[in-house]
Every structure is written in structure tokens, then in C-alpha cells.
């Protein structure tokens, strides 16, 4: 593929990532911020100082701990901070996905540019987020031991790396089996091999070691994790649709209608 075409796809991928980021931000703001606020309120209530009572008379309440001054207010985090993070995330992943698309185009089968974009988006969502999420699901903010953040982050990125490598290996396996088994059967075998390898990785890798307290409401945890997963679904679905349309226009432009032929003049 010419370098100019790769560059044009990269620009379109980043633009599609920006559009997808805007849509994902709207979903995160209206759907995801509610569970975040509820989890923060739940943790604040659990860590609030308790009044001590003894004998017939109540002892004086323990002095409230001085609240630490917030460097960034919660309102700013949920608006400008959230928008900045999601948009930068969308643009960066859009650019990376566009480069992967440039390499994969024509190598994953005879699909149209739009269908190839949908396949790349689905594969990226599955390997980069869904598989790691199933092993290490998202934890609400202000919940859990802060000392384990480094370990949890390392394990999550390790799972991303393994998932991507296993996905690439499954793709190579499917391509090598296709001449003997056919495209459909080879794809099924490669998919099953990927699922088995991921299951083995789930068993061998350790847990995050930071269980959520039993007193934390299960409904809030469920809503938070569903919203987190939904943000990624919206982001990658929007990217696939927008980038597919842009790639289709670039790689398969509409041909101009042929000029009508002049009527033949009958010989005298």
C-alpha cells in the first residue's frame, strides 16, 4: 500500500476516533457518572468518623478528620476531565487502529473496506478490552486498597498483551488452515483455539488480590461495570462505522458514469 494512502488512512482513523470519542463521552457522562458518584458516596459514608457511646451518657464525638483539599473538583473531573481523557483516548486508539487496518486490508479476506473496518474494530474491542475485562473487571473509584493499584494495572496490561498476541496467533492459524479446511472451518478452529488459550491464561494468571468489601452494594458495582463496558462498546462501534465510511470513500471511490455513446450514423 502506498505511503500516501497509509497517511490518509491514519488521518481518517484519528478523525473517526475523535468522533467516536465525542459519542463515548456523551454515553459516559449520562450513563457512567451516576454509578461513579454512588460509589464515591458509598465509600465516603463508610469511612466517615463514627460516634462512640458508653454507659448512660454518650461520650463526646471524636473530632472529624480534616478533609484534604481536592486538587481537582469532582465537577471538573466529570466534565472537562472526562471529556479530555475520552477524546485523547479515542484519537490515539483511532490512529493505532487505522495503522492496523492498513496492514490487515487484503490479508484477512476479500472484504470491502467498510467490512474490513468493522472486523478490525470488533477484533480490537475483543482483544484490547473485552478479554482483559473478563479477567480483571473494572473497579469503581474510591473502592479498594490504593497500595494495590500498581499491581492491578500491571496485571491488566499483561492481560492486554497476552490477548493481542493470542489474537494474532489465531489469525495466523486461521490463514494457514484455510487452504485445507476452507475459510469458514478455519475461522471456527482459530476462534476455538483462541478461546482455549485465553481460558488457560485466565487460570494461570493471578487475581488482582483486592476484593471489594462485602458491604459495598452489588447493584452499584454491577451498574458501574456495565457502564464501563458500554463505553467501550459505543466507542469501538462508532469508530468502526465512521472509519469504515471514510475508508470506503478513500479506497473505493465512486466511478463517474460513462459518457453516452453517440448514435451510429447509418451508411448511405
Amino acid at each position: 500500500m502506498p505511503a500516501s494512502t497509509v497517511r490518509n488512512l491514519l488521518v481518517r482513523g484519528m478523525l473517526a476516533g475523535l468522533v467516536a470519542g465525542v459519542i463515548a463521552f456523551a454515553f459516559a457522562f449520562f450513563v457512567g457518572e451516576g454509578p461513579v458518584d454512588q460509589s464515591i458516596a458509598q465509600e465516603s459514608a463508610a469511612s466517615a468518623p463514627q460516634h462512640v457511646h458508653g454507659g448512660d451518657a454518650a461520650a463526646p464525638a471524636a473530632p472529624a478528620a480534616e478533609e484534604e483539599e481536592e486538587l481537582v473538583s469532582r465537577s471538573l473531573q466529570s466534565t472537562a476531565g472526562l471529556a479530555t481523557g475520552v477524546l485523547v483516548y479515542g484519537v490515539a486508539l483511532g490512529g493505532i487502529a487505522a495503522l492496523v487496518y492498513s496492514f490487515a486490508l487484503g490479508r484477512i479476506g476479500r472484504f470491502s473496506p467498510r467490512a474490513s473496518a468493522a472486523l478490525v474494530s470488533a477484533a480490537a474491542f475483543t482483544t484490547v478490552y473485552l478479554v482483559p475485562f473478563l479477567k480483571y473487571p473494572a473497579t469503581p473509584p474510591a473502592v479498594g486498597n490504593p497500595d494495590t493499584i500498581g499491581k492491578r494495572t500491571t496485571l491488566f496490561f499483561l492481560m492486554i498483551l497476552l490477548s493481542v498476541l493470542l489474537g494474532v496467533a489465531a489469525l495466523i492459524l486461521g490463514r494457514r488452515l484455510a487452504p485445507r479446511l476452507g475459510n469458514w472451518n478455519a475461522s471456527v478452529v482459530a476462534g476455538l483455539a483462541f478461546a482455549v488459550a485465553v481460558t488457560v491464561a485466565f487460570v494461570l494468571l493471578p487475581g488482582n488480590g483486592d476484593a471489594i468489601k462485602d458491604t459495598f452494594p452489588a447493584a452499584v458495582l454491577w451498574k458501574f461495570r456495565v457502564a464501563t463496558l458500554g463505553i467501550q462498546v459505543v466507542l469501538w462501534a462508532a469508530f468502526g462505522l465512521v472509519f469504515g465510511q471514510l475508508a470506503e470513500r478513500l479506497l473505493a471511490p465512486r466511478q463517474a458514469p460513462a459518457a453516452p455513446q453517440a448514435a451510429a450514423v447509418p451508411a448511405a
Side-chain angles (χ1 to χ4, degrees), residues 143-195:
V143 175
N145 185 1
D147 296 336
T148 64
I149 292 178
K151 177 184 177 182
R152 285 181 283 159
T153 303
T154 301
L155 290 174
F156 185 78
F157 279 102
L158 177 60
M159 192 66 239
I160 292 177
L161 178 61
L162 287 176
S163 178
V164 171
L165 291 178
L166 292 174
V168 173
L171 177 62
I172 296 174
L173 176 63
R175 285 177 54 84
R176 292 186 176 181
L177 294 178
R180 289 183 292 173
L181 303 180
N183 290 331
W184 174 257
N185 291 333
S187 299
V188 171
V189 172
L192 291 176
F194 175 76

Side-chain angles (χ1 to χ4, degrees), residues 184-223:
W184 174 257
N185 291 333
S187 299
V188 171
V189 172
L192 291 176
F194 175 76
V196 171
V198 167
T199 302
V200 173
F202 279 10
V203 173
L204 295 180
L205 286 177
N208 59 27
D210 189 20
I212 297 178
K213 299 177 182 178
D214 295 336
T215 56
F216 190 84
V220 176
L221 179 62
W222 172 256
K223 291 179 181 177

